[in-house]
Amino acid sequence: MRQFRPALQLPRSIPDFLAAFPFHIIVDEQLVIQESGDGLQVLDCGRLNGRKLPDCFESISPVEEFCLASLLNMRGQACLLRHKVSGLLLGGKVALHQEDCVAFLLVPWIEDTADVSKLRIGPRISRRAGSRISNSSVVNMRKLTVQKKQLFQAHALLSMRETESRTLTHIVSMTDNSVVIANALGYVEWVNDAYVRRSGYLPEEVIGRYLGDLMDGDEETVAQIKRQLDAKQSFQAELLRTAKDGSGYWVDLDIEPLFDSNGQVFNYIAVARDITEKKAAQETSSRLHGIMQSTFELSPDGFVTFNKKGILSSFNPAFLNMTGLKPEQLHAISQDEFVRLLKSLCQDEQRAASQHLPDAVVMRMTKPKLTVIKHSVREAHDPDGYFVGSIHYFRDITQESELHRMKGEFLSMAAHELRTPMSSIHGFTELLLKREFTAEQQKDMLATVHRQSVRLTKLINDLLDLAKIEARKGMSFDIKPYRLTDIVDTALKEFLVSGDGRAISFHFNNHALKVSADFDKLIQALVNVLSNAHKYSDPGTEIRLHIQEQQRYQHTYVGIAIEDHGIGMSKEHMDHLFERFYRADTSGSIPGTGLGLCLVKEIMEIHGGWVDVSSVYGEGSVVTLWLKKLKD
């Protein structure tokens, strides 16, 4: 009925204005019909004037009973009246006629063409009544003919719009999206079944509520919705709603104003799409992305990714630390450029890939430092199996490679060191079994066998000690506070038992000085150092033991220094000092296994200390064992 927009007050300057509405009614303040249009007179045989409005018409809209106040409030609003005699439905609006009169400007309102055949036309007009309207009967009949044509045209248009309306209503009812329709003031008039199913609220629980309050937003969101509605503008947002049962769900909300032909808002329509699963998936994806990003950033291994076009898209800090490359060198480069950049970091590009594994390449880089890197490439695919890029994985295996090299050298040297005494023992025992020797010769040969067996036993014991220390990393150490003088005195007594009686000078007066140590292991380290000083210095030369102190890492450390005046060591010897089986004397004239200082180094590191060695070739050496000093 929005197509009816009569003036709120009838113009007095146009006396024929009401003639355009043959179904008009004018009532006074008592609701008595003062005048009615020609069309109504024909339908009612001219018996309307002088009767009260409620006696002749039934109010369909609005539903409240007629009174002058309600009619005045209805000015400019649509109304529907049913003529009681004929049953014809009349639609129109209310206008002010005079100060104490109200006019209904009406036209026939046909809901169904079948209703036309049911209209009850009154009996023929009486002669008296006929004389009153005889002058206009012909004109009225012509008007009725025109109105009948207009009526059927309006009905056809109405039927078409009703069909469209039913189709749209069916579509809106069947959609899974929640649909809410509000009036021009933003108050809910209608909700679809999807809204009821998702929210749990019945239509009667939400109709009449303000649209902004219905969205369960915070105060700022509700205020923003109100501002948008007042400004006749649309509103879009993702909101967390609460259902009637207390469960929460996310919606993507769109509120759009609907305008009539005059540009006035007559309704708002709100469509809410349920995006709870989408939000959950986004949250899961975001959480996994965060975990993967943290793993990517914190990983000690290098990662470089390329998109499906082969352009570098990301890299982690470990890769930069590993290769010394700068981010600007990697910006948006292709895979081919990336491979050439890696090869440039190798000393010999032809030998960049020095070892090919089944699924990787081992690269020996010399820039920024000598590094051995295992490089592998994997293709990345999405859940549908489509290629999305490639991942280059880099692992620093420098330490593993070095350990592998040292393991090979150790086995080779261990086999050599073990074979030498075993060969002597085997050869001399075989001679003793197969040939006759004098008693003096037998004694000399047995002494050699005994000496080699002692060497072999010591070598095996040193290997076992070294293996235990490395395997347990101090777990078998029993570290307790001891006076340093007690440890040194015990080590000197143990060493001199098997020595040649050479004096070792030791002068120290601070008997209260204490360190934390495993008593037996520290004595073993001291005896090894004293033994080296004894073996590599000439008889009669002095071996001196003294105590030092120094500040380091905000702690006081005590050093047990053993100084000899033996053969000393060159710089080349110093570089290999702590390697297993390495010996400064290569002639073989000085007994030893080459494991002594390795054991000393491991023992001191487990004690939280270290070993310092200084030497001058041909003049002697000083070996200092450093331990943390205990506070008094």
Side-chain angles (χ1 to χ4, degrees), residues 155-342:
H155 171 69
L157 181 61
L158 179 63
S159 298
M160 182 179 66
R161 290 181 177 177
E162 285 181 346
T163 301
E164 293 176 353
S165 177
R166 283 194 295 269
T167 302
L168 291 174
T169 301
H170 179 71
I171 293 173
V172 171
S173 299
M174 294 297 293
T175 183
D176 290 332
N177 295 331
S178 299
V179 180
V180 179
I181 296 178
N183 61 20
L185 299 176
Y187 292 94
V188 177
E189 291 183 338
W190 181 85
V191 295
N192 69 342
D193 293 339
Y195 177 87
V196 175
R197 289 193 302 269
R198 192 64 187 90
S199 69
Y201 289 100
L202 298 175
E204 54 266 26
E205 295 178 289
V206 296
I207 291 177
R209 291 179 59 185
Y210 185 67
L211 187 59
D213 296 332
L214 201 64
M215 294 299 111
D216 295 335
D218 53 30
E219 293 182 1
E220 176 58 30
T221 302
V222 175
Q224 185 180 359
I225 293 175
K226 188 176 188 309
R227 288 194 297 269
Q228 296 294 99
L229 298 189
D230 291 343
K232 301 179 181 180
Q233 296 178 351
S234 61
F235 175 82
Q236 194 280 329
E238 291 183 356
L239 299 177
L240 177 62
R241 293 215 56 220
T242 303
K244 189 175 182 179
D245 60 5
S247 61
Y249 63 98
W250 281 92
V251 296
D252 183 7
L253 174 67
D254 280 300
I255 302 177
E256 294 289 340
L258 303 179
F259 298 94
D260 60 16
S261 59
N262 294 324
Q264 298 297 318
V265 174
F266 63 87
N267 276 122
Y268 288 93
I269 181 168
V271 179
R273 290 169 289 276
D274 191 334
I275 57 171
T276 305
E277 292 185 1
K278 174 185 172 183
K279 277 287 187 180
Q282 288 177 344
E283 183 179 350
T284 301
S285 176
S286 177
R287 183 171 62 253
L288 291 177
H289 177 75
I291 294 173
M292 292 300 295
Q293 187 65 27
S294 297
T295 303
F296 190 73
E297 296 290 336
L298 297 175
S299 173
D301 299 327
F303 289 95
V304 178
T305 62
F306 291 82
N307 60 25
K308 61 182 180 182
K309 294 182 180 180
I311 303 300
L312 191 147
S313 56
S314 65
F315 48 84
N316 69 336
F319 174 77
L320 298 179
N321 295 334
M322 194 179 297
T323 60
L325 295 173
K326 304 297 181 183
E328 53 269 20
Q329 294 177 267
L330 303 173
H331 179 67
I333 66 173
S334 66
Q335 287 201 77
D336 292 339
E337 293 173 322
F338 179 72
V339 171
R340 286 195 294 270
L341 186 59
L342 289 180

Side-chain angles (χ1 to χ4, degrees), residues 136-151:
S136 60
S137 60
V138 176
V139 176
N140 290 338
M141 289 303 296
R142 291 176 180 173
K143 289 182 178 179
L144 285 175
T145 301
V146 174
Q147 290 172 2
K148 185 177 180 179
K149 291 181 180 179
Q150 294 175 345
L151 182 64

Side-chain angles (χ1 to χ4, degrees), residues 87-132:
L88 179 64
L89 188 64
L90 301 168
K93 288 195 175 183
V94 179
L96 185 62
H97 182 226
Q98 295 176 355
E99 292 183 0
D100 55 351
C101 292
V102 175
F104 288 84
L105 306 180
L106 306 171
V107 295
W109 190 267
I110 303 301
E111 295 178 307
D112 193 345
T113 53
D115 294 340
V116 178
S117 62
K118 298 177 183 178
L119 295 178
R120 298 181 295 280
I121 307 300
R124 297 180 64 83
I125 304 174
S126 63
R127 187 180 299 274
R128 181 179 178 183
S131 62
R132 185 157 56 88

Side-chain angles (χ1 to χ4, degrees), residues 391-409:
I391 302 173
H392 289 242
Y393 170 70
F394 299 86
R395 183 182 175 192
D396 188 341
I397 59 171
T398 306
Q399 187 174 5
E400 295 179 22
S401 178
E402 183 64 16
L403 288 175
H404 182 74
R405 183 192 65 80
M406 292 176 63
K407 179 181 177 182
E409 291 182 358

